[in-house]
Tab-separated table of all heavy atoms in Angstrom:
chain	number	residue	atom	x	y	z
X	1179	SER	N	-13.993	7.995	4.668
X	1179	SER	CA	-14.842	8.374	5.739
X	1179	SER	C	-14.324	9.614	6.522
X	1179	SER	O	-13.112	9.880	6.410
X	1179	SER	CB	-14.982	7.231	6.752
X	1179	SER	OG	-13.793	7.048	7.517
X	1180	PRO	N	-15.084	10.337	7.245
X	1180	PRO	CA	-14.560	11.401	8.103
X	1180	PRO	C	-13.487	10.920	9.064
X	1180	PRO	O	-12.566	11.639	9.392
X	1180	PRO	CB	-15.836	11.955	8.758
X	1180	PRO	CG	-16.935	11.587	7.879
X	1180	PRO	CD	-16.519	10.298	7.266
X	1181	GLY	N	-13.645	9.691	9.587
X	1181	GLY	CA	-12.721	9.156	10.537
X	1181	GLY	C	-11.309	9.091	9.967
X	1181	GLY	O	-10.329	9.364	10.616
X	1182	TYR	N	-11.188	8.640	8.666
X	1182	TYR	CA	-9.932	8.565	8.061
X	1182	TYR	C	-9.361	9.909	7.848
X	1182	TYR	O	-8.142	10.148	8.147
X	1182	TYR	CB	-10.003	7.871	6.623
X	1182	TYR	CG	-8.649	7.861	5.999
X	1182	TYR	CD1	-7.732	6.867	6.338
X	1182	TYR	CD2	-8.210	8.895	5.155
X	1182	TYR	CE1	-6.454	6.874	5.783
X	1182	TYR	CE2	-6.911	8.891	4.612
X	1182	TYR	CZ	-6.100	7.913	4.936
X	1182	TYR	OH	-4.784	7.933	4.485
X	1183	ARG	N	-10.156	10.876	7.414
X	1183	ARG	CA	-9.548	12.231	7.204
X	1183	ARG	C	-9.102	12.868	8.470
X	1183	ARG	O	-8.022	13.487	8.537
X	1183	ARG	CB	-10.694	13.082	6.583
X	1183	ARG	CG	-10.257	14.551	6.202
X	1183	ARG	CD	-9.016	14.561	5.161
X	1183	ARG	NE	-8.569	15.856	5.009
X	1183	ARG	CZ	-8.779	16.634	3.946
X	1183	ARG	NH1	-9.560	16.164	2.921
X	1183	ARG	NH2	-8.334	17.813	3.792
X	1184	LYS	N	-9.836	12.684	9.551
X	1184	LYS	CA	-9.445	13.190	10.866
X	1184	LYS	C	-8.151	12.594	11.381
X	1184	LYS	O	-7.234	13.288	11.848
X	1184	LYS	CB	-10.532	12.992	11.940
X	1184	LYS	CG	-11.728	13.881	11.788
X	1184	LYS	CD	-12.798	13.540	12.833
X	1184	LYS	CE	-12.217	13.489	14.208
X	1184	LYS	NZ	-13.285	13.041	15.219
X	1185	ALA	N	-8.012	11.300	11.197
X	1185	ALA	CA	-6.814	10.611	11.553
X	1185	ALA	C	-5.587	11.086	10.771
X	1185	ALA	O	-4.471	11.276	11.344
X	1185	ALA	CB	-6.913	9.064	11.486
X	1186	ALA	N	-5.816	11.207	9.469
X	1186	ALA	CA	-4.737	11.636	8.591
X	1186	ALA	C	-4.235	13.032	8.925
X	1186	ALA	O	-3.042	13.386	8.995
X	1186	ALA	CB	-5.169	11.602	7.146
X	1187	GLU	N	-5.194	13.942	9.226
X	1187	GLU	CA	-4.886	15.294	9.552
X	1187	GLU	C	-4.131	15.349	10.916
X	1187	GLU	O	-3.211	16.154	11.138
X	1187	GLU	CB	-6.088	16.165	9.593
X	1187	GLU	CG	-6.667	16.440	8.218
X	1187	GLU	CD	-8.018	17.148	8.193
X	1187	GLU	OE1	-8.624	17.207	9.317
X	1187	GLU	OE2	-8.454	17.635	7.197
X	1188	TRP	N	-4.487	14.463	11.846
X	1188	TRP	CA	-3.789	14.330	13.101
X	1188	TRP	C	-2.374	13.924	12.926
X	1188	TRP	O	-1.476	14.448	13.568
X	1188	TRP	CB	-4.485	13.301	14.104
X	1188	TRP	CG	-3.724	13.252	15.343
X	1188	TRP	CD1	-3.792	14.131	16.440
X	1188	TRP	CD2	-2.716	12.338	15.625
X	1188	TRP	NE1	-2.868	13.715	17.409
X	1188	TRP	CE2	-2.215	12.589	16.943
X	1188	TRP	CE3	-2.098	11.204	14.949
X	1188	TRP	CZ2	-1.199	11.838	17.591
X	1188	TRP	CZ3	-1.187	10.469	15.552
X	1188	TRP	CH2	-0.694	10.760	16.823
X	1189	VAL	N	-2.114	13.007	12.092
X	1189	VAL	CA	-0.785	12.529	11.730
X	1189	VAL	C	0.061	13.713	11.248
X	1189	VAL	O	1.241	13.838	11.658
X	1189	VAL	CB	-0.695	11.343	10.826
X	1189	VAL	CG1	0.701	10.952	10.399
X	1189	VAL	CG2	-1.382	10.093	11.461
X	1190	VAL	N	-0.460	14.437	10.326
X	1190	VAL	CA	0.252	15.589	9.801
X	1190	VAL	C	0.620	16.580	10.863
X	1190	VAL	O	1.874	16.991	10.990
X	1190	VAL	CB	-0.592	16.299	8.706
X	1190	VAL	CG1	0.070	17.661	8.360
X	1190	VAL	CG2	-0.761	15.420	7.460
X	1191	LYS	N	-0.232	16.923	11.742
X	1191	LYS	CA	0.037	17.868	12.828
X	1191	LYS	C	1.041	17.216	13.783
X	1191	LYS	O	1.958	17.953	14.270
X	1191	LYS	CB	-1.232	18.213	13.496
X	1191	LYS	CG	-2.203	19.034	12.774
X	1191	LYS	CD	-3.489	19.325	13.510
X	1191	LYS	CE	-4.433	20.168	12.711
X	1191	LYS	NZ	-5.728	20.441	13.435
X	1192	GLN	N	0.933	15.941	14.125
X	1192	GLN	CA	1.888	15.348	15.035
X	1192	GLN	C	3.268	15.266	14.435
X	1192	GLN	O	4.242	15.527	15.113
X	1192	GLN	CB	1.389	13.945	15.480
X	1192	GLN	CG	2.075	13.400	16.671
X	1192	GLN	CD	1.711	14.149	17.934
X	1192	GLN	OE1	0.683	14.924	17.969
X	1192	GLN	NE2	2.534	14.092	18.918
X	1193	ALA	N	3.357	14.914	13.156
X	1193	ALA	CA	4.568	14.883	12.441
X	1193	ALA	C	5.319	16.276	12.533
X	1193	ALA	O	6.489	16.387	12.742
X	1193	ALA	CB	4.474	14.401	11.043
X	1194	GLN	N	4.545	17.284	12.260
X	1194	GLN	CA	5.045	18.670	12.328
X	1194	GLN	C	5.540	19.034	13.707
X	1194	GLN	O	6.596	19.641	13.824
X	1194	GLN	CB	4.014	19.637	11.865
X	1194	GLN	CG	3.657	19.569	10.403
X	1194	GLN	CD	2.401	20.346	10.029
X	1194	GLN	OE1	1.546	20.716	10.869
X	1194	GLN	NE2	2.277	20.681	8.707
X	1195	SER	N	4.795	18.560	14.718
X	1195	SER	CA	5.233	18.850	16.114
X	1195	SER	C	6.547	18.131	16.512
X	1195	SER	O	7.258	18.634	17.357
X	1195	SER	CB	4.156	18.443	17.086
X	1195	SER	OG	4.132	17.092	17.248
X	1196	TYR	N	6.897	17.039	15.795
X	1196	TYR	CA	8.126	16.371	16.026
X	1196	TYR	C	9.268	16.991	15.217
X	1196	TYR	O	10.361	16.453	15.248
X	1196	TYR	CB	7.972	14.897	15.677
X	1196	TYR	CG	7.087	14.096	16.658
X	1196	TYR	CD1	6.359	13.025	16.269
X	1196	TYR	CD2	7.084	14.498	17.984
X	1196	TYR	CE1	5.563	12.295	17.142
X	1196	TYR	CE2	6.300	13.771	18.892
X	1196	TYR	CZ	5.523	12.668	18.489
X	1196	TYR	OH	4.750	11.973	19.386
X	1197	GLY	N	8.978	17.932	14.353
X	1197	GLY	CA	10.007	18.589	13.566
X	1197	GLY	C	10.242	17.933	12.266
X	1197	GLY	O	11.262	18.115	11.611
X	1198	LEU	N	9.343	16.985	11.838
X	1198	LEU	CA	9.508	16.387	10.502
X	1198	LEU	C	9.171	17.366	9.449
X	1198	LEU	O	8.345	18.312	9.592
X	1198	LEU	CB	8.623	15.121	10.378
X	1198	LEU	CG	8.745	14.094	11.492
X	1198	LEU	CD1	7.824	12.930	11.158
X	1198	LEU	CD2	10.172	13.616	11.680
X	1199	SER	N	9.723	17.158	8.251
X	1199	SER	CA	9.584	18.089	7.135
X	1199	SER	C	8.545	17.631	6.136
X	1199	SER	O	8.200	16.452	6.074
X	1199	SER	CB	10.953	18.265	6.385
X	1199	SER	OG	11.977	18.691	7.236
X	1200	ASN	N	7.968	18.561	5.405
X	1200	ASN	CA	7.075	18.275	4.334
X	1200	ASN	C	5.916	17.379	4.722
X	1200	ASN	O	5.490	16.521	3.935
X	1200	ASN	CB	7.911	17.636	3.163
X	1200	ASN	CG	7.123	17.639	1.863
X	1200	ASN	OD1	6.310	18.510	1.593
X	1200	ASN	ND2	7.405	16.647	0.985
X	1201	ALA	N	5.391	17.543	5.936
X	1201	ALA	CA	4.266	16.746	6.359
X	1201	ALA	C	3.032	17.191	5.710
X	1201	ALA	O	2.620	18.440	5.812
X	1201	ALA	CB	4.106	16.794	7.845
X	1202	HIS	N	2.324	16.344	4.968
X	1202	HIS	CA	1.122	16.817	4.149
X	1202	HIS	C	0.325	15.533	3.824
X	1202	HIS	O	0.762	14.433	3.873
X	1202	HIS	CB	1.616	17.557	2.938
X	1202	HIS	CG	2.283	16.730	1.847
X	1202	HIS	ND1	3.613	16.369	2.035
X	1202	HIS	CD2	1.897	16.100	0.792
X	1202	HIS	CE1	4.010	15.619	0.992
X	1202	HIS	NE2	2.960	15.468	0.212
X	1203	LEU	N	-0.922	15.848	3.305
X	1203	LEU	CA	-1.719	14.821	2.708
X	1203	LEU	C	-1.488	14.844	1.226
X	1203	LEU	O	-1.561	15.934	0.564
X	1203	LEU	CB	-3.190	15.150	3.007
X	1203	LEU	CG	-3.645	15.201	4.430
X	1203	LEU	CD1	-5.150	15.414	4.538
X	1203	LEU	CD2	-3.208	13.983	5.203
X	1204	GLU	N	-1.245	13.673	0.653
X	1204	GLU	CA	-0.990	13.589	-0.835
X	1204	GLU	C	-2.203	12.946	-1.462
X	1204	GLU	O	-2.483	11.757	-1.208
X	1204	GLU	CB	0.294	12.910	-1.107
X	1204	GLU	CG	0.610	12.768	-2.640
X	1204	GLU	CD	1.954	12.267	-2.905
X	1204	GLU	OE1	2.960	12.620	-2.150
X	1204	GLU	OE2	2.102	11.430	-3.865
X	1205	LYS	N	-2.861	13.671	-2.305
X	1205	LYS	CA	-4.122	13.178	-2.925
X	1205	LYS	C	-3.855	12.089	-3.986
X	1205	LYS	O	-2.877	12.229	-4.777
X	1205	LYS	CB	-4.883	14.329	-3.558
X	1205	LYS	CG	-6.241	13.971	-4.112
X	1205	LYS	CD	-7.015	15.205	-4.505
X	1205	LYS	CE	-6.407	15.931	-5.623
X	1205	LYS	NZ	-7.273	17.108	-6.100
X	1206	TRP	N	-4.661	11.111	-4.045
X	1206	TRP	CA	-4.683	10.180	-5.106
X	1206	TRP	C	-6.127	9.809	-5.399
X	1206	TRP	O	-7.033	10.010	-4.638
X	1206	TRP	CB	-3.836	8.919	-4.823
X	1206	TRP	CG	-4.453	8.098	-3.676
X	1206	TRP	CD1	-4.162	8.155	-2.315
X	1206	TRP	CD2	-5.391	7.065	-3.759
X	1206	TRP	NE1	-4.864	7.262	-1.610
X	1206	TRP	CE2	-5.693	6.551	-2.506
X	1206	TRP	CE3	-6.104	6.477	-4.882
X	1206	TRP	CZ2	-6.638	5.572	-2.235
X	1206	TRP	CZ3	-7.052	5.409	-4.617
X	1206	TRP	CH2	-7.263	4.988	-3.249
X	1207	GLY	N	-6.372	9.126	-6.456
X	1207	GLY	CA	-7.738	8.706	-6.683
X	1207	GLY	C	-8.072	8.634	-8.142
X	1207	GLY	O	-7.132	8.674	-8.981
X	1208	PRO	N	-9.423	8.575	-8.461
X	1208	PRO	CA	-10.459	8.562	-7.440
X	1208	PRO	C	-10.624	7.283	-6.775
X	1208	PRO	O	-10.188	6.200	-7.237
X	1208	PRO	CB	-11.726	8.825	-8.369
X	1208	PRO	CG	-11.283	8.223	-9.730
X	1208	PRO	CD	-9.817	8.454	-9.818
X	1209	PHE	N	-11.215	7.341	-5.472
X	1209	PHE	CA	-11.443	6.112	-4.736
X	1209	PHE	C	-12.916	5.696	-4.879
X	1209	PHE	O	-13.124	4.508	-5.077
X	1209	PHE	CB	-11.202	6.410	-3.236
X	1209	PHE	CG	-11.651	5.334	-2.341
X	1209	PHE	CD1	-10.959	4.164	-2.258
X	1209	PHE	CD2	-12.770	5.439	-1.541
X	1209	PHE	CE1	-11.419	3.066	-1.429
X	1209	PHE	CE2	-13.269	4.526	-0.671
X	1209	PHE	CZ	-12.569	3.287	-0.693
X	1210	GLY	N	-13.869	6.578	-4.704
X	1210	GLY	CA	-15.252	6.178	-4.785
X	1210	GLY	C	-16.105	6.904	-3.771
X	1210	GLY	O	-15.719	7.927	-3.201
X	1211	ARG	N	-17.261	6.407	-3.454
X	1211	ARG	CA	-18.210	7.038	-2.510
X	1211	ARG	C	-17.657	6.916	-1.054
X	1211	ARG	O	-16.935	5.981	-0.738
X	1211	ARG	CB	-19.600	6.394	-2.636
X	1211	ARG	CG	-19.650	4.935	-2.395
X	1211	ARG	CD	-21.160	4.491	-2.143
X	1211	ARG	NE	-22.008	4.655	-3.309
X	1211	ARG	CZ	-22.348	3.747	-4.253
X	1211	ARG	NH1	-21.937	2.552	-4.072
X	1211	ARG	NH2	-23.222	4.074	-5.246
X	1212	GLY	N	-18.073	7.927	-0.300
X	1212	GLY	CA	-17.737	7.894	1.139
X	1212	GLY	C	-18.840	7.204	1.917
X	1212	GLY	O	-20.028	7.137	1.498
X	1213	TRP	N	-18.525	6.624	3.079
X	1213	TRP	CA	-19.457	5.941	3.911
X	1213	TRP	C	-18.988	5.946	5.346
X	1213	TRP	O	-17.755	5.754	5.628
X	1213	TRP	CB	-19.681	4.530	3.436
X	1213	TRP	CG	-20.753	3.731	4.096
X	1213	TRP	CD1	-22.122	3.645	3.835
X	1213	TRP	CD2	-20.570	2.962	5.361
X	1213	TRP	NE1	-22.763	2.834	4.718
X	1213	TRP	CE2	-21.897	2.403	5.722
X	1213	TRP	CE3	-19.529	2.643	6.193
X	1213	TRP	CZ2	-22.084	1.562	6.839
X	1213	TRP	CZ3	-19.731	1.855	7.340
X	1213	TRP	CH2	-20.980	1.310	7.595
X	1214	ASP	N	-19.942	6.203	6.264
X	1214	ASP	CA	-19.639	5.904	7.684
X	1214	ASP	C	-21.012	5.736	8.383
X	1214	ASP	O	-22.048	5.923	7.742
X	1214	ASP	CB	-18.794	6.961	8.367
X	1214	ASP	CG	-19.492	8.244	8.623
X	1214	ASP	OD1	-20.482	8.562	7.903
X	1214	ASP	OD2	-19.186	8.945	9.625
X	1215	PHE	N	-20.986	5.332	9.651
X	1215	PHE	CA	-22.252	5.179	10.376
X	1215	PHE	C	-22.040	5.859	11.728
X	1215	PHE	O	-21.032	5.850	12.303
X	1215	PHE	CB	-22.638	3.734	10.501
X	1215	PHE	CG	-21.910	2.878	11.460
X	1215	PHE	CD1	-22.423	2.591	12.710
X	1215	PHE	CD2	-20.643	2.382	11.091
X	1215	PHE	CE1	-21.725	1.778	13.637
X	1215	PHE	CE2	-19.921	1.574	11.991
X	1215	PHE	CZ	-20.475	1.297	13.275
X	1216	ARG	N	-23.190	6.421	12.195
X	1216	ARG	CA	-23.259	7.203	13.420
X	1216	ARG	C	-23.957	6.467	14.506
X	1216	ARG	O	-23.897	6.840	15.719
X	1216	ARG	CB	-23.850	8.479	13.210
X	1216	ARG	CG	-23.309	9.322	12.042
X	1216	ARG	CD	-21.861	9.741	12.199
X	1216	ARG	NE	-21.332	10.450	11.056
X	1216	ARG	CZ	-21.489	11.669	10.775
X	1216	ARG	NH1	-22.240	12.450	11.572
X	1216	ARG	NH2	-20.910	12.230	9.711
X	1217	ARG	N	-24.764	5.491	14.156
X	1217	ARG	CA	-25.588	4.816	15.233
X	1217	ARG	C	-25.907	3.394	14.741
X	1217	ARG	O	-26.195	3.194	13.577
X	1217	ARG	CB	-26.823	5.545	15.466
X	1217	ARG	CG	-27.789	4.976	16.484
X	1217	ARG	CD	-29.007	5.823	16.726
X	1217	ARG	NE	-29.954	5.170	17.644
X	1217	ARG	CZ	-29.916	5.161	18.957
X	1217	ARG	NH1	-28.904	5.772	19.572
X	1217	ARG	NH2	-30.784	4.548	19.738
X	1218	PHE	N	-25.994	2.468	15.710
X	1218	PHE	CA	-26.410	1.094	15.410
X	1218	PHE	C	-26.970	0.447	16.697
X	1218	PHE	O	-26.371	0.623	17.763
X	1218	PHE	CB	-25.196	0.244	14.906
X	1218	PHE	CG	-25.531	-1.248	14.892
X	1218	PHE	CD1	-26.335	-1.762	13.930
X	1218	PHE	CD2	-25.142	-2.081	15.914
X	1218	PHE	CE1	-26.644	-3.128	13.822
X	1218	PHE	CE2	-25.479	-3.426	15.900
X	1218	PHE	CZ	-26.259	-4.002	14.832
X	1219	SER	N	-28.110	-0.173	16.570
X	1219	SER	CA	-28.667	-0.897	17.605
X	1219	SER	C	-29.453	-2.123	17.014
X	1219	SER	O	-29.991	-2.032	15.964
X	1219	SER	CB	-29.565	-0.081	18.514
X	1219	SER	OG	-30.718	0.277	17.811
X	1220	ALA	N	-29.430	-3.256	17.726
X	1220	ALA	CA	-30.183	-4.425	17.261
X	1220	ALA	C	-30.632	-5.181	18.475
X	1220	ALA	O	-29.936	-5.331	19.479
X	1220	ALA	CB	-29.182	-5.295	16.463
X	1221	HIS	N	-31.913	-5.639	18.372
X	1221	HIS	CA	-32.620	-6.313	19.456
X	1221	HIS	C	-33.479	-7.433	18.982
X	1221	HIS	O	-34.183	-7.320	17.987
X	1221	HIS	CB	-33.476	-5.273	20.269
X	1221	HIS	CG	-32.805	-3.995	20.617
X	1221	HIS	ND1	-32.177	-3.796	21.750
X	1221	HIS	CD2	-32.671	-2.883	19.824
X	1221	HIS	CE1	-31.688	-2.590	21.775
X	1221	HIS	NE2	-32.040	-2.002	20.612
X	1222	LEU	N	-33.393	-8.573	19.681
X	1222	LEU	CA	-34.379	-9.581	19.581
X	1222	LEU	C	-35.551	-9.198	20.530
X	1222	LEU	O	-35.323	-9.058	21.749
X	1222	LEU	CB	-33.817	-10.938	19.984
X	1222	LEU	CG	-34.760	-12.123	20.008
X	1222	LEU	CD1	-35.283	-12.458	18.587
X	1222	LEU	CD2	-34.085	-13.375	20.599
X	1223	VAL	N	-36.791	-9.061	19.957
X	1223	VAL	CA	-37.894	-8.654	20.700
X	1223	VAL	C	-38.832	-9.820	21.119
X	1223	VAL	O	-39.223	-9.893	22.260
X	1223	VAL	CB	-38.734	-7.602	19.884
X	1223	VAL	CG1	-39.973	-7.137	20.742
X	1223	VAL	CG2	-37.843	-6.456	19.548
X	1224	GLU	N	-39.031	-10.783	20.156
X	1224	GLU	CA	-39.814	-11.970	20.509
X	1224	GLU	C	-39.122	-13.169	19.925
X	1224	GLU	O	-38.497	-13.004	18.843
X	1224	GLU	CB	-41.232	-11.790	19.795
X	1224	GLU	CG	-42.103	-10.683	20.321
X	1224	GLU	CD	-43.406	-10.545	19.578
X	1224	GLU	OE1	-43.633	-11.325	18.668
X	1224	GLU	OE2	-44.219	-9.660	19.997
X	1225	PRO	N	-39.172	-14.286	20.550
X	1225	PRO	CA	-40.074	-14.633	21.660
X	1225	PRO	C	-39.583	-14.207	23.045
X	1225	PRO	O	-40.311	-14.290	24.041
X	1225	PRO	CB	-40.106	-16.148	21.630
X	1225	PRO	CG	-38.767	-16.524	21.048
X	1225	PRO	CD	-38.460	-15.476	20.079
Side-chain angles (χ1 to χ4, degrees):
S1179 73
Y1182 177 85
R1183 181 63 185 254
K1184 284 175 58 184
E1187 290 173 345
W1188 177 84
V1189 173
V1190 169
K1191 291 178 181 177
Q1192 198 65 22
Q1194 292 169 340
S1195 76
Y1196 290 148
L1198 305 185
S1199 302
N1200 195 28
H1202 66 281
L1203 302 183
E1204 183 170 319
K1205 185 170 67 174
W1206 66 269
F1209 169 73
R1211 57 168 61 103
W1213 184 91
D1214 73 331
F1215 74 102
R1216 309 292 177 84
R1217 179 178 175 81
F1218 169 77
S1219 66
H1221 311 269
L1222 176 64
V1223 179
E1224 295 177 359

